[in-house]
Amino acid sequence: MDEIDRKIIDLLSLDAKRSLADIGGTVGLSPSSVNERIRRLTASGVIKRFTVDLDPAAMGLETLVFVWIALREDADEASFRDFAETNPAILECHHVTGSWSYLIKLRVVAAPEIEGFLTDLKARKFLGRTETLIALSSSVSGAFVQKGSS
Amino acid sequence: MDEIDRKIIDLLSLDAKRSLADIGGTVGLSPSSVNERIRRLTASGVIKRFTVDLDPAAMGLETLVFVWIALREDADEASFRDFAETNPAILECHHVTGSWSYLIKLRVVAAPEIEGFLTDLKARKFLGRTETLIALSSSVSGAFVQKGSS
DNA sequence: GGTGAAACCCTCGTGAG
DNA sequence: CTCACGAGGGTTTCACC
């Protein structure tokens, strides 16, 4: 991971379809050298995958929601994490410091869908306390990459 | 955006390097039809860009942090948003409902870096209250796509 | 919109430095 | 580790359905 690797990653982040010749011209390397570096970056796991950054609104997921969760005392954390992994609406699920145990980020079609989501969580006996926040707007929104439906 | 478009997006999300022929074989279309659909999805903005999903740890950004922010009464929101867009550590910045006004997500090398970040925010006269949470682990982490350093 | 074929370009081995 | 070259395959465009 030298300066050139970082530059290549920069370029691929912006446009992963750029040709090796093009990238090579920018960083001052031959296409095959660039190819070899990308192969290594992929093999070593620095690049996890080539993917597409989508527009959530165009996908019909206009509402971004954050839910704080404090699990019930007797909740099975493993099955909760399994639920989080399986649920396609859950984009992120982090175990965090502070008075809440988990922070979940999800995208839904519209706000009413959140209710069903919380009801589901409750039915599975996960919930202690929760608090739900809706994003009104995002000045920096990050990439939206669909969860792997593999 | 019919069923086939969605299927193509699914496949590209998992692996944007799959060939048009391969995708066509899966969805039952010729390579050129798939190409035309991807061209349309890109032109209409559903696909914002082809990019790479990186391993933040391999990039040296091992710590994921969420900062809740309540701006000062007299803070200039426009310049705050501009700051958020410019700062490369800030992956997301959302205006949210509830008692906090903004939620910021950032990745840093290590926890001590957060202090400098907050000091910077304070020096720029943005801060009212803040609360910082660190992610201990992430059962669903979402894609990590580097911010465009264009 | 979709198809098939042809031209073009890119990718990815190989071998040499 | 990098480069040059060539074969193979992928993408792109076109006329046509």
Side-chain angles (χ1 to χ4, degrees), chain A residues 5-43:
Chain A
D5 280 340
R6 256 183 291 276
K7 186 73 192 162
I8 291 175
I9 287 173
D10 273 1
L11 295 170
L12 288 178
S13 297
L14 289 171
D15 178 12
K17 276 193 123 58
R18 290 184 70 159
S19 73
L20 300 175
D22 194 358
I23 295 171
T26 306
V27 304
L29 245 53
S30 72
S32 29
S33 295
V34 175
N35 188 37
E36 174 62 12
R37 279 170 178 268
I38 293 175
R39 195 197 59 74
R40 272 203 303 274
L41 288 168
T42 307

Side-chain angles (χ1 to χ4, degrees), chain B residues 72-109:
Chain B
R72 275 173 50 158
E73 290 282 342
D74 60 347
D76 177 10
E77 297 219 11
S79 65
F80 171 72
R81 284 196 293 265
D82 187 56
F83 167 77
E85 281 162 36
T86 312
N87 191 311
I90 298 182
L91 266 32
E92 301 177 26
C93 175
H94 308 284
H95 193 190
V96 292
T97 60
S99 55
W100 299 97
S101 43
Y102 285 92
L103 170 60
I104 281 181
K105 170 179 159 184
L106 57 161
R107 280 198 183 273
V108 294
V109 178

Side-chain angles (χ1 to χ4, degrees), chain B residues 59-75:
Chain B
M59 301 286 293
L61 300 170
E62 314 231 18
T63 308
L64 177 62
V65 186
F66 292 93
V67 183
W68 296 100
I69 294 177
L71 291 185
R72 275 173 50 158
E73 290 282 342
D74 60 347

Side-chain angles (χ1 to χ4, degrees), chain A residues 65-104:
Chain A
V65 186
F66 292 93
V67 183
W68 293 105
I69 294 177
L71 291 185
R72 276 173 49 159
E73 289 285 339
D74 60 346
D76 176 10
E77 296 219 10
S79 65
F80 170 72
R81 285 196 293 263
D82 188 56
F83 166 78
E85 280 163 36
T86 312
N87 191 311
I90 297 182
L91 266 33
E92 301 176 26
C93 175
H94 309 283
H95 193 190
V96 292
T97 59
S99 55
W100 299 94
S101 41
Y102 285 93
L103 172 60
I104 281 182

